[in-house]
Amino acid sequence: QRIFEANPASVALTGYPLSQLIDKPVEQLLPHILRAQAHTYLIAGTAVPQESRLLHHDGQELDVELSVSHMPENGGHYSMMVLHDITARKRSEAQAHFLAYNDPLTCLPNRQGLTRQLRAVLLAAEQQQQHVVLLYVDMDRFKDVNDSLGHDAGDALLTQIARRLRSKVHPNDIVARLAGDEFVVVLASPLTACQPDCM
């Protein structure tokens, strides 16, 4: 379980010069939290690539796929570990997931994101017998801004409105942009100042 050879791609991927890789325990290339899992792969091998993380020489963690094959030699065996950098793929997946549930302009939840978060809020409110307040916010004459000042000005205004709405509510509350100039604010935090019969 110590490195006795590494190709130039491994040197480039890990950031270690070859002299520092040789005789290094393989597990030291992985974050502490993944070392027990990796130990299993090193002992048993894994023909199917497994997603893991690599600890670069500079301390940065990279997303990788690894596979480990055992090769017989002189009555024993050595292991060959293949690492594949999947950082770009994981970044694309994360971006696609973000855009599925968030508005790219304001970074607020979109309609799908609001629906998903609202389910959890309503369930928690029902269990705790608390109120939830939902506000629909629509900007009057927003089209006039786009028509007279251009879409860049309209986008800047929407971003500013989103920032202001977000700054005026509790961190547990939700601010979402449905479309165009339509926003929804969900006051999900407990309304401690309000008695149940006051709404």
Side-chain angles (χ1 to χ4, degrees):
Q1 296 175 29
R2 289 180 176 270
I3 300 170
F4 68 88
E5 186 58 84
N7 64 8
S10 299
V11 171
L13 182 61
T14 63
Y16 287 93
L18 183 60
S19 61
Q20 291 184 26
L21 277 178
I22 299 303
D23 206 37
K24 188 178 187 68
V26 175
E27 292 175 9
Q28 287 188 12
L29 294 176
L30 305 171
H32 285 279
I33 195 169
L34 297 176
R35 289 183 184 179
Q37 181 187 50
H39 184 76
T40 302
Y41 298 152
L42 293 172
I43 297 299
T46 169
V48 179
Q50 304 291 325
E51 289 191 5
S52 187
R53 294 180 76 80
L54 176 74
L55 196 58
H56 192 272
H57 183 46
D58 64 7
Q60 179 185 1
E61 292 187 14
L62 304 176
D63 290 298
V64 295
E65 277 184 345
L66 66 84
S67 57
V68 179
S69 303
H70 295 319
M71 316 295 288
E73 183 181 53
N74 298 329
H77 74 270
Y78 65 92
S79 299
M80 181 173 67
M81 182 167 68
V82 178
L83 296 171
H84 179 62
D85 186 357
I86 59 170
T87 303
R89 190 189 83 195
K90 296 294 283 186
R91 189 180 298 121
S92 293
E93 289 174 354
Q95 179 70 5
H97 183 270
F98 178 82
L99 292 176
Y101 295 101
N102 294 274
D103 170 47
L105 177 64
T106 63
C107 295
L108 294 176
N110 58 17
R111 189 180 299 272
Q112 287 76 20
L114 172 64
T115 300
R116 186 171 69 163
Q117 293 186 38
L118 195 54
R119 286 196 193 103
V121 167
L122 293 176
L123 180 61
E126 183 178 8
Q127 291 173 345
Q128 299 169 18
Q129 296 185 335
Q130 293 176 340
H131 292 284
V132 172
V133 177
L134 189 144
L135 308 174
Y136 174 77
V137 182
D138 181 40
M139 296 168 56
D140 290 338
R141 302 177 63 192
F142 175 71
K143 184 175 182 299
D144 293 347
V145 176
N146 279 335
D147 292 344
S148 61
L149 300 176
H151 287 279
D152 287 345
D155 288 349
L157 178 58
L158 289 171
T159 303
Q160 185 62 237
I161 293 296
R163 189 178 297 118
R164 290 187 185 187
L165 288 172
R166 184 67 265 177
S167 71
K168 299 301 180 185
V169 298
H170 190 275
N172 291 339
D173 296 335
I174 303 168
V175 178
R177 181 185 176 208
L178 297 187
D181 60 352
E182 301 175 38
F183 293 84
V184 165
V185 179
V186 180
L187 304 180
S189 52
L191 303 177
T192 54
C194 182
Q195 298 301 318
D197 60 351
C198 73
M199 299 186 70

